[in-house]
Amino acid sequence: MTARSSAFSQRFVALAAAALVSLAAHAQPPPGDGLIKPEARAKVSEHVNVILDQDHVFVPNVGIVIGSKATLIVDTGLGDKNGKIVLDEARKLARNTQFYLTATHFHPEHDLGANAFPADAKVLRWTGQQAEADADGVRMIELFKGFSAATKALLEGASFRAPDVLFEGQITVDLGGVHVRIFGVGPNHTRGDTAFFVVEDKVLFTGDTVMSVLPAVNGQSASIEKWQENLATYESLQPVVVVPAHGKLIEVATVRRYQAYFGAVQSQTAAAKRGGASVEAATSMLSEGIAKEFADLAPPNGATGRVNAAIQAAYREAP
């Protein structure tokens, strides 16, 4: 390693550590009961129902995809109590008894309700997501327990259900009259991000990789190049409905807006790096302008932190 690359590595680690400390101190999620609300269930297409999160913290948008032979669940909620809620809603909708359980990523509110389902339910998991759960799942559960008394209670005794099917790349599941393409897309929000496309209904589940607001980029491991590849894939599918992991349902126009956002982050960050700017200097120079340009995508708590993380990730990849 050269002295210059070593110095960059030290600066980058220091900046990342400072960002994590700031998040821990100032951006703890607000309190909430963490429970999925059955009354928020909506039919979004012929074969797809979604239990909407209604912007409640620790609650995902839950997908229930129903075929004549089987039902596929996308995200099972935070712990067994939520898993039971999802199971009850699925049984109201479907006559079949075969369940496939999947998750958009390994964070507890997405994958820790699976143990509430019957023993013959099949867990399908991308190898990238499984590797992340194996490496960091226990720590993440403990982190979420610390957010509130409600999350601690919901996660008491929670564990990741073992996969029945581990797959590389992508698979297509035949539910009977409806097919779901499942494909790994990380590293984006997490290393194991996974997307789902209901072929006959043209409904796309994007997890946290596309939402109605700017994404939370993992500045230490996310690939903006990979994110742009994924966005091109999403757009090519021409979905009628896009279901993010959190927040309101969106359309393919938001995918295009994400492409523009990441394109701006990539081009401006690369130019700053070529000009000799450090990662700290590039972040300071660019963040405010990019946040203003994409103010329509700002989350309620502001865009700055999310833009900063995107710049840091782009800086690592820039030539």
Side-chain angles (χ1 to χ4, degrees):
M1 178 181 289
T2 66
R4 181 177 179 181
S5 64
S6 177
F8 163 71
S9 178
Q10 292 171 6
R11 288 198 307 271
F12 186 86
V13 169
L15 184 64
L20 288 172
V21 170
S22 176
L23 282 171
H26 302 295
Q28 289 281 5
D33 67 9
L35 288 175
I36 294 164
K37 310 302 182 186
E39 63 272 18
R41 173 165 54 84
K43 187 172 183 176
V44 302
S45 68
E46 181 180 357
H47 302 98
V48 180
N49 279 255
V50 176
I51 308 176
L52 298 165
D53 71 347
Q54 298 182 313
D55 294 320
H56 293 162
V57 295
F58 312 121
V59 177
N61 289 325
V62 176
I64 303 174
V65 186
I66 303 163
S68 63
K69 298 187 302 185
T71 298
L72 182 138
I73 307 296
V74 180
D75 289 351
T76 55
L78 193 68
D80 287 0
K81 189 171 183 178
N82 277 302
K84 179 65 164 55
I85 292 170
V86 176
L87 174 60
D88 288 346
E89 291 305 297
R91 282 175 167 165
K92 291 175 186 177
L93 294 167
R95 295 180 180 177
N96 59 65
T97 59
Q98 176 63 64
F99 290 102
Y100 292 104
L101 308 179
T102 61
T104 55
H105 54 294
F106 86 116
H107 287 164
E109 78 270 35
H110 301 279
D111 201 14
L112 268 291
N115 285 317
F117 281 75
D120 62 354
K122 305 297 184 185
V123 175
L124 313 177
R125 196 172 289 142
W126 178 45
T127 52
Q129 189 178 125
Q130 182 65 46
E132 190 166 28
D134 289 342
D136 206 29
V138 172
R139 184 193 69 84
M140 192 61 65
I141 292 172
E142 292 305 310
L143 176 67
F144 269 65
K145 282 183 179 179
F147 285 148
S148 71
T151 58
K152 183 178 181 179
L154 288 169
L155 288 172
E156 201 62 45
S159 63
F160 287 90
R161 185 162 169 164
D164 297 282
V165 177
L166 274 175
F167 64 92
E168 296 275 1
Q170 73 170 35
I171 60 172
T172 298
V173 180
D174 181 359
L175 302 177
V178 59
H179 299 79
V180 183
R181 284 178 54 192
I182 309 175
F183 49 106
V185 296
N188 285 180
H189 172 64
T190 66
R191 296 193 300 276
D193 293 310
T194 306
F196 307 83
F197 184 61
V198 184
V199 176
E200 285 77 9
D201 294 27
K202 298 185 78 66
V203 174
L204 176 66
F205 290 83
T206 54
D208 278 16
T209 68
V210 181
M211 300 186 290
S212 61
V213 298
L214 292 174
V217 174
N218 186 328
Q220 289 71 56
S221 66
S223 169
I224 305 303
E225 293 176 1
K226 176 61 174 171
W227 219 312
Q228 287 286 51
E229 291 176 11
N230 295 333
L231 293 170
T233 298
Y234 298 161
E235 185 182 24
S236 72
L237 294 171
Q238 286 298 295
V240 175
V241 179
V242 177
V243 183
H246 301 283
K248 67 181 182 180
L249 304 182
I250 52 181
E251 298 177 344
V252 72
T254 305
V255 174
R256 300 189 186 106
R257 190 66 174 145
Y258 262 49
Q259 289 174 309
Y261 166 66
F262 281 123
V265 169
Q266 283 179 304
S267 62
Q268 293 181 39
T269 301
K273 188 174 181 179
R274 286 196 302 271
S278 67
V279 63
E280 300 97 327
T283 302
S284 178
M285 288 189 300
L286 301 175
S287 181
E288 183 177 355
I290 293 173
K292 285 182 178 179
E293 183 180 353
F294 296 92
D296 56 307
L297 294 176
N301 63 346
T304 302
R306 296 193 175 194
V307 174
N308 288 350
I311 293 169
Q312 292 162 24
Y315 193 97
R316 281 190 296 102
E317 294 185 317

